[in-house]
């Protein structure tokens, strides 16, 4: 009798799991954030190095480790797509340093009264900062020039979003930050690192 009950319980649990899987929204496939549509900077350096001075805490209120694409990962891709070392072996190097790449989740005050149950309010705000430096180093590995770009984004999130909707917002924040950095670097590199550009 006990074995029969156990089989029924297992069958019931399996049916519940199957139903949950059927009702779960499909996992969305977000496109990679790339910069291959932009003309890369051909630099008169021998190599490119990408470093991060920012260490994600890995816990709330920081959420960059939970995002579909973190700001730091987007900048790594930016550096690979936009900066091309084309110089000789002893012509020094370029270094991209991610100085800040944080995204913080800030809870917002909502109406907890009975009337609040009939309102759709903004429950969270994402505050994001991305700061990136591009440095030129000589053959002795000494910094001889550098430029720094900083981008900030803030966006509120309404109540009741699905996981896919929330991840889409986080993706858009990262994409916006990275493209802000790209626009700034376009001017900064041409204006201040032009000596190292191969035309």
């Amino acid at each position: 009798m006990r074995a029969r009950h156990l089989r029924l319980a297992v069958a019931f649990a399996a049916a519940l799991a199957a139903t949950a899987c059927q009702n779960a929204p499909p996992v969305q496939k977000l496109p990679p954030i790339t910069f291959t549509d932009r003309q890369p900077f051909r630099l008169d350096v021998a190599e490119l190095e990408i470093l991060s001075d920012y260490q994600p805490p890995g816990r709330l209120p920081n959420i960059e480790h939970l995002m579909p694409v973190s700001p730091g990962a987007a900048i790594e891709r930016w550096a690979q797509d936009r900066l091309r070392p084309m110089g000789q072996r002893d012509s020094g190097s370029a270094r991209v340093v991610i100085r800040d790449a944080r995204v913080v989740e800030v809870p917002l005050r909502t109406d907890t009264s009975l009337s609040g149950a009939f309102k759709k309010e903004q429950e969270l705000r994402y505050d994001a900062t991305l700061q990136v430096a591009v440095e030129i180093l000589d053959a002795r590995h000494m910094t001889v020039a550098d430029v720094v770009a900083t981008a900030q984004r803030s966006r509120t999130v309404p109540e009741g979003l699905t996981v896919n909707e929330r991840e889409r917002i986080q993706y858009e924040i990262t994409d916006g930050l990275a493209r802000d950095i790209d626009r700034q670097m376009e001017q900064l590199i041409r204006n201040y690192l032009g000596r190292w550009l191969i035309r």
Side-chain angles (χ1 to χ4, degrees), residues 41-113:
F41 289 106
R42 301 167 71 244
L43 298 173
D44 188 16
V45 295
E47 59 183 1
L48 173 67
E49 185 180 11
I50 305 170
L51 301 176
S52 181
D53 284 347
Y54 177 70
Q55 298 300 319
R59 61 183 182 275
L60 292 176
N62 288 68
I63 64 158
E64 57 270 5
H65 60 291
L66 302 173
M67 298 172 70
V69 184
S70 70
I75 285 303
E76 288 182 20
R77 183 59 184 264
W78 172 84
Q80 293 163 358
D81 288 347
R82 291 285 270 147
L83 304 178
R84 295 284 171 80
M86 306 287 290
Q88 302 301 314
R89 187 176 60 182
D90 60 349
S91 58
S93 60
R95 181 165 63 195
V96 175
V97 183
I98 302 167
R99 295 185 177 176
D100 200 351
R102 74 188 64 198
V103 184
V104 177
E105 182 180 278
V106 181
L108 300 177
R109 183 175 296 178
T110 56
D111 186 352
T112 57
S113 68

Side-chain angles (χ1 to χ4, degrees), residues 60-64 67 102-110 121-129 152-159 161 166 169-170 173:
L60 292 176
N62 288 68
I63 64 158
E64 57 270 5
M67 298 172 70
R102 74 188 64 198
V103 184
V104 177
E105 182 180 278
V106 181
L108 300 177
R109 183 175 296 178
T110 56
E121 300 181 272
Q122 302 295 307
E123 67 171 353
L124 293 171
R125 188 181 72 241
Y126 294 137
D127 292 337
T129 301
Q152 294 182 318
R153 294 255 170 163
S154 187
R155 184 161 172 181
T156 58
V157 179
E159 298 173 303
L161 290 187
R166 192 173 295 247
I169 289 173
Q170 294 170 358
I173 289 170

